[in-house]
């Protein structure tokens, strides 16, 4: 079977890991990133650098994106050298792994269809760079069923759990709910670690102690140990990204007139942490916000 030529736009933590996975499986991959300095690792693995998103779309059968936010996806799609701005595009399918709003997704899907006769799948991911490198991502997909079927082989190469959730925007809606759980969970794991450490028990044994009970989860087994060990370098996900996602959860809930006080509180915690200068810190390091507030209280200053 001839593998499709992949174009990948956005070589950050996740984009780099996914591109390396695709190259290891034998896919030809053309790449573009706003900061070209990020391309070194994937080019060394055989990826082909492009000068613009438009050039990526002219080179590839399927274009993938994994960029920061709604504005970045829109720029890479509709901007002066966007992937759908050239009349002679080779690519017929766009798969967006970014986390953006369902409304933006539907707008961009309509744009690429009308402008360049391309179809769009929103396919946000969860799992982090290690899962991406190992093809173990969880991928939530929205879009037409026939486009999902066309993309399933390459999606299965990247994810161990790939689910078509419905029409355009459905994948992003599932990701919003995922991020509500993740963001609130990171805050909860930090508070659990602080409580365990203050209590005098062996806090490192808590995940093993609670395994199999109602409190057990991937967060407890994988995130809590990193928080307890303060093992945050190198980051596997940036606080600014999760803060942005939590704001999107709050906005989505507000539009649906859903009152979510726990999610709102977690979003405020991440906003405070980012505002304190931790934008590029690991998301799990949110416990440092609690520690800095405690230090300020002990020093007699404002929390």
């Amino acid at each position: 079977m001839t593998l499709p030529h992949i174009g990948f736009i956005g070589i950050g933590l996740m984009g780099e890991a996914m591109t390396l996975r695709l190259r290891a499986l034998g896919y030809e991959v053309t790449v573009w990133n706003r900061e070209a300095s990020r391309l070194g690792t994937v080019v060394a693995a055989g990826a082909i650098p492009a000068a613009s998103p438009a050039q990526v779309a002219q080179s590839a059968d399927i274009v993938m994106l994994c960029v920061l936010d709604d504005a970045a996806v829109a720029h890479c799609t509709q901007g002066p050298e966007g992937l759908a701005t050239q009349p002679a595009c080779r690519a017929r399918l766009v798969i967006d792994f970014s986390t953006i709003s369902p409304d933006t997704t539907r707008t961009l899907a309509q744009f690429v269809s009308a402008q360049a006769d391309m179809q769009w799948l929103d396919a946000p991911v969860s799992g982090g760079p290690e899962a991406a490198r190992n093809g173990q991502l969880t991928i939530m997909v929205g879009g037409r069923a026939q486009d999902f079927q066309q993309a399933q082989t390459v999606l299965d190469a990247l994810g161990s759990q790939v689910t078509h959730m419905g029409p355009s925007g459905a994948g992003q809606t599932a990701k919003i709910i995922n991020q509500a759980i993740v963001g609130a969970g990171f805050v909860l794991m930090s508070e659990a670690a602080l409580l365990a450490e203050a209590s005098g028990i062996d806090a490192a044994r808590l995940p093993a102690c609670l395994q199999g009970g109602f409190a057990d989860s991937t967060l407890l087994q994988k995130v809590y140990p990193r928080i307890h060990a303060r093992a945050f370098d190198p980051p596997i996900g940036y606080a600014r990204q999760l803060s942005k996602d939590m704001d999107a959860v709050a906005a989505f809930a507000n539009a649906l007139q859903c009152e979510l006080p726990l999610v709102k509180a977690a979003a405020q915690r991440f906003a405070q942490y980012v505002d304190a200068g931790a934008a590029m810190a690991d998301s799990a390091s949110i416990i440092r916000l609690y520690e800095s507030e405690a230090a300020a209280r002990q020093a007699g200053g404002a929390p």
Side-chain angles (χ1 to χ4, degrees):
M1 181 181 71
T2 302
L3 298 175
H5 185 139
I6 304 297
F8 211 108
I9 296 169
I11 309 299
L13 291 174
M14 291 298 295
E16 178 182 271
M18 285 190 275
T19 297
L20 292 175
R21 169 73 177 172
L22 291 168
R23 285 294 305 138
L25 293 174
Y27 286 87
E28 189 172 6
V29 186
T30 296
V31 293
W32 179 86
N33 194 65
R34 185 176 62 179
E35 297 88 12
S37 59
R38 287 282 315 180
L39 297 180
T41 302
V42 295
V43 169
I48 305 162
S52 67
Q55 191 175 101
V56 171
Q58 289 171 327
S59 304
D61 300 304
I62 299 173
V63 176
M64 299 176 173
L65 297 97
C66 191
V67 296
L68 180 61
D69 54 22
D70 293 51
V73 177
H75 178 76
C76 291
T77 303
Q78 301 172 310
E81 295 182 290
L83 63 92
T85 58
Q86 303 299 316
C89 245
R90 173 178 171 182
R92 299 268 65 86
L93 180 63
V94 180
I95 304 175
D96 182 25
F97 296 120
S98 315
T99 297
I100 63 173
S101 77
D103 285 345
T104 298
T105 285
R106 287 186 283 266
T107 297
L108 293 174
Q110 291 170 1
F111 175 84
V112 301
S113 178
Q115 186 78 13
D117 193 26
M118 302 165 76
Q119 299 303 317
W120 187 285
L121 292 175
D122 48 298
V125 300
S126 184
E130 182 178 358
R133 286 190 292 271
N134 295 327
Q136 296 294 309
L137 288 170
T138 295
I139 308 178
M140 302 141 258
V141 187
R144 301 191 313 173
Q146 59 265 46
D147 298 321
F148 174 72
Q149 292 166 4
Q150 178 189 342
Q152 190 149 18
T153 298
V154 69
L155 290 173
D156 287 344
L158 296 169
S160 58
Q161 179 67 32
V162 181
T163 307
H164 183 224
M165 289 298 294
S168 183
Q172 295 295 352
T173 300
K175 183 60 184 290
I176 284 172
I177 298 167
N178 180 87
Q179 294 309 85
I181 296 168
V182 169
F186 275 41
V187 171
L188 179 59
M189 290 301 107
S190 294
E191 294 187 2
L194 289 170
L195 188 61
E197 292 162 5
S199 73
I201 67 168
D202 185 349
R205 296 176 64 192
L206 198 63
C209 174
L210 301 182
Q211 189 170 18
F214 280 173
D216 198 11
S217 66
T218 299
L219 287 164
L220 181 65
Q221 297 300 330
K222 292 188 176 181
V223 177
Y224 173 94
R226 292 180 54 235
I227 291 174
H228 173 58
R230 308 306 193 265
F232 306 128
D233 294 311
I236 64 172
Y238 297 126
R240 69 172 186 181
Q241 184 71 33
L242 190 49
S243 180
K244 183 269 294 184
D245 292 348
M246 292 300 287
D247 289 342
V249 173
F252 186 75
N254 186 62
L256 294 175
Q257 298 183 334
C258 287
E259 185 63 30
L260 305 178
L262 178 60
V263 169
K264 186 180 296 184
Q268 290 170 345
R269 291 267 78 189
F270 271 100
Q272 289 170 331
Y273 190 43
V274 169
D275 289 345
M280 300 302 288
D282 192 295
S283 300
S285 69
I286 185 72
I287 194 170
R288 289 175 173 163
L289 177 64
Y290 291 85
E291 293 172 332
S292 66
E293 290 172 343
R297 285 193 297 271
Q298 290 174 0

